[in-house]
Amino acid sequence: MQTLRYYFKKAKEEKWAIGHFNFSTADQLKAIVGGASEMKAPVMVATSEGEADFVGYDQAVALVSSYQKEGCAVWLNADHHKSFESAKKAIDAGYDTVLIDSSRLNFDENILMTSQVVGYAREKNTELLVEGELGYLKGESQVQEAVEISPADYTQPEQAADFVSRTGADRLAVVFGNIHGVVTEQEEKLDIEHLKKIVSVVPETVLVLHGASGLSDKDVADAIAAGISNVHINTELRVAYHNALHSELDKEPSQTTPYKFLAPSQDAMKELVKKKLKLFGSVDKI
Ligand code: G3H
Ligand code: ZN
């Protein structure tokens, strides 16, 4: 199996993006890996701190490595880990990659914490990739009415170059109009011209679009064409899983067998993953 680093290089050169999908149960993970395998697409699966606490760090690693042993091109990311300690926990457990999210700190403190995690990761495993985050990415991975966005929160291009060279991070999560979650009373809109300015100062760095739920397909495709190589989706998967479960329980209220009442949720997630992988251009890349 090729490495995640290999696929990022390929994605960057060929202008497509690797999908990144969160899970908090084994059946959700199976839906993501199943969808990606059918599409012959390399894929990242992820647990945030909350999702990892629910699944178990060691258990998430064991589940994903069971698919890797079968030959699936899947890698496990520790998504938005907010302290050195939690990133270390994921690295020690055997995650393939980690996002140290210290974007709430000031610029120098963000560089310090990200560098600390990069240093630790390099000591443990040279193949382990580290992502840093710069800019203020608002919102939660849920359905919200509105989230106020300001260009003042965007990733500043001049800081991006400095951040990458001082931390040695492999990937950079950037902010250019994106928010976490889906909004019902507002249109989500990316500032592609701003993204292009960031790309121009860090042309070699893998740039990550977080918060892709709720964006138009056109915005996502434009962002990939402009230089995004990794796209994160969580909320839309959660909603698909939840809605299918809700209607199944409404339809069959006496059904108590989990593998029966969860099957439609798993299918709904799998279909959505396949649709997103087509949009990201990552089909038939294995
Ligand atoms: O890191 C996770 C993603 O950025 C999820 O964003 O919930 O808007 O899809 P989303
Ligand atoms: Zn995110």
Side-chain angles (χ1 to χ4, degrees), residues 79-80 99 133 137 141 180 210-211 232:
D79 196 22
H80 293 290
L99 160 56
E133 180 161 331
L137 186 56
S141 283
H180 277 139
H210 280 254
H232 282 223

Side-chain angles (χ1 to χ4, degrees), residues 20 22 79-80 99 137 140-142 179-182 188 209-214 232-236 238:
H20 173 291
N22 292 68
D79 196 22
H80 293 290
L99 160 56
L137 186 56
E140 304 286 329
S141 283
Q142 60 192 24
I179 52 160
H180 277 139
V182 168
E188 289 186 48
L209 169 60
H210 280 254
S213 290
H232 282 223
I233 300 270
N234 192 355
T235 308
E236 285 189 36
R238 288 178 170 183

